[in-house]
Amino acid sequence: MRITSSLVTRRTFLNTLFGGWLLAFFSGSLYSLIKFAFPTIDKEPDFVVLFARDFLPIAPNSVKSFAWGGKVGLFLKKTNGAIFALKGVCTHMECNITYKPEEKKFYCACHKGWFDDNGKNIEGPPPKPLEFFDIIISNENLIIVKKGVNIDPAKI
Amino acid sequence: MRMKAAWQNWLEERYNIDEFKTFAASKLVPSHRYEIWYFTGGIVLFLFIMQFITGAALALYYIPHTEYAHKSIIEIVTKLHAGWFFRSLHYWGAQLAIAVLFIHVFSALLLKSYRKPRELIWISGCKLLGISIFFGLSGYFLLWDERAFAAVRVATGGAGDLPLIGGFIKTFLRGGIDVTGETLTRFYAFHVSILPLVTIFLIVMHLFLVHYHGMGLPRSEENRKHGETPFFPNIFYKDLMIWLVVLGIVVTMATLLPPEIGKQADPLAPAPENIKPEWYFLFLFQTLKLFPGTMLGFNGETIAIILVSFGVLFFFLIPFFDRKSSRGEKSPLFTGIGLAYMVYFIVMTIIGFFS
Amino acid sequence: MIRKFMLMIFFVIIETTTAFANQISIEVFPSTPYDRYIIYEMLALFWAGIIGLVIIIRMKLKEIERIQRMESTEKEEKKIPLLD
Ligand code: FES
């Protein structure tokens, strides 16, 4: 059996073509615009390199801040002289924290969150402990490394 | 006089002036005992126009860059002729606009002005409310001081707690994973270009629809006899008087209570003590505080944000849920819901303010 | 008596604004007493302007309403001959 006339009229064909073409055209254009508007995401750094002489001599029981990408990192020297590095951002809603030397605790002023000097969340809303980093000292450099990342200090 | 006649002739030869005149004369507004609430819309319109003007003036001097943003505002406030006043005017205009906008929305909600056939008026109005709040947040951030910085970090971080799209929204708003200079340029673009354009479009829609349907009547007034007042000039003159008084109030507030400027934002500095969002965010902030850190193994914040989103969505779509009002029947359930929304908003704002 | 009272309110307002100004580091309000005096004077003048305008508009509105009422009664009177 042969269908003598097409089931689709010329008019519907043209309308579908027109509509589809418009849709494709504008969604394509819009897609590129949105892609432009959406930022290219920069990752948090895996490590940062600092001058050791700026940080190692700080007084015991104090902190010094450094830039960890766009966020703040804290270099902590405990009373016994042990050194640590951690991300100075509250795990609750990302406010920057301060170190309170009298209490030996970290404090977040946004919603009154407290962490002890091992980064454990002990009071207030923060749901998780603070993130600590590894420290590598090579020659002049103090290298702060994200936990679980392997780097070769000789290459820096 | 000759000049005026000549000008009139010139116009009349080209346009059908009488058509405009009959149109103006034919616009009638029902008078009834709730009509006072209908003036809130006019007040908001006036305040928006004022924001456009003062904002345009401030934009002549503001520099959207992390290094200069804060400094340029200090420059505006201390060096320019009456700079402190115009910044203060822009600030207080915004505060008042949002306050009156809330009154306008709640009065529309309680008078059920959203019912058939005016659903789209409600929708466009709700969009305008959302945009105004975003206007407020972005404008606040442009100050680039400590508090604004922390507040925007918390607000955009909160949006990030939404499941699925949260991360996307957060990154889009921040222009990266953190609140940085990128965020400042972005918020500037929103504040001075994108939001104003959308606002103008929505206001035109809103006004056109209000004109198209005519002023709504509260259901209780529908069956009563009431007079009709011509819009031009009676209502227009009343509007004008109210606008003048509102202008006086804003100017007085701007003169007596200029908003302060904090220390310049520093992404590495600890957050300032006791940060509080602007008052129109307090109810949200307070709601989030009600939820514990973890609930049933889920992140409490996420649950809170989801619930709040549903609350907002329901508010937005109320005209479609309130079937009874649409049919012109009494709908005490939705009066209750409207009241509940209002009381919740007011109580939470007050608690947030004093805690 | 009233004058004294007004003066008192005026000074209370000034005191509170200066108190605010003292707390903050950046001057968001002119600090010399002379500038302040001028500003408050301007504010008073501004209000006088607003109140004047409002009064004028009210008077105009009253006048318009009077004419509208007259017109509507006239219309009703015109209807009367149709009745007989
Ligand atoms: S952001 Fe630190 S306690 Fe909320």
Side-chain angles (χ1 to χ4, degrees), chain A residues 90-95 108 110-113 125-126, chain B residues 154:
Chain A
C90 180
T91 50
H92 177 223
M93 285 181 137
E94 304 183 39
C95 285
C108 173
C110 280
H111 315 99
K112 304 204 176 13
Chain B
V154 171

